[in-house]
Amino acid sequence: MELTFADIKVGDAASFSKTMTESDIVSYAGLTGDFNPIHIDAEYARESMFKERIAHGMLVSGFISAVLGTQLPGPNSIYLGQTLEFKLPVKIGDTVTAEVTVAEKRDDKRILKLKTTVTNQRGELVVDGSAVVKKVGL
């Protein structure tokens, strides 16, 4: 069921989890053209500070968009802005959870300010940020 703007309250939260696969990383590289060897080349990555391949930061933060567009605020939402801070790398096999929490609600313009985070399976913060979204329609 789609949430109406009136249904949404400060403090409401929603999340989405996904285990990062090699296929996810290769597909993202193909779609965006970002073939940075830290993501694609195992030998190169072994010599890096991470010691293995890591997921693209924007791929990981894209899971925030999944929450915004499907759950909270859900369909009929327009992204107005997003800030992101990449805190830790995400590696193949890591399970990440993107969480969105309503921080502020502006009724006159139907705008929401949201706290956005992505954590790994150990509960470590890998992406921190905020988003501004306008709810249209309902």
Side-chain angles (χ1 to χ4, degrees):
M1 181 177 100
E2 183 179 342
L3 293 173
T4 67
F5 189 78
D7 292 332
I8 299 168
K9 309 288 184 245
V10 171
D12 286 353
S15 65
F16 171 80
S17 296
K18 170 119 177 51
T19 300
M20 193 60 53
T21 67
E22 178 173 3
S23 177
D24 295 328
I25 293 169
V26 172
S27 294
Y28 187 84
L31 287 168
T32 63
D34 182 353
F35 290 96
N36 181 331
I38 195 68
H39 308 303
I40 303 303
D41 184 333
E43 282 185 42
Y44 178 91
R46 250 191 308 281
E47 300 299 319
S48 76
M49 63 188 272
F50 303 113
K51 305 300 181 202
E52 60 187 295
R53 292 168 51 202
I54 61 169
H56 301 76
M58 293 306 288
L59 167 58
V60 174
S61 60
F63 301 134
I64 295 167
S65 181
V67 178
L68 295 177
T70 64
Q71 296 181 58
L72 182 66
N76 292 311
S77 300
I78 299 171
Y79 234 137
L80 299 178
Q82 175 77 57
T83 64
L84 299 167
E85 287 184 56
F86 301 104
K87 302 292 193 174
L88 291 172
V90 173
K91 300 176 179 181
I92 295 169
D94 281 350
T95 298
V96 294
T97 300
E99 184 170 17
V100 170
T101 305
V102 178
E104 296 175 29
K105 183 176 178 185
R106 186 170 170 186
D107 293 321
D108 62 328
K109 299 222 179 210
R110 298 174 57 91
I111 290 176
L112 301 167
K113 186 167 186 181
L114 306 133
K115 171 82 174 138
T116 60
T117 60
V118 182
T119 55
N120 63 21
Q121 69 275 12
R122 292 176 295 281
E124 298 167 324
L125 184 65
V126 298
V127 179
D128 192 19
S130 63
V132 179
V133 177
K134 182 175 181 75
K135 181 79 168 164
V136 296
L138 298 174

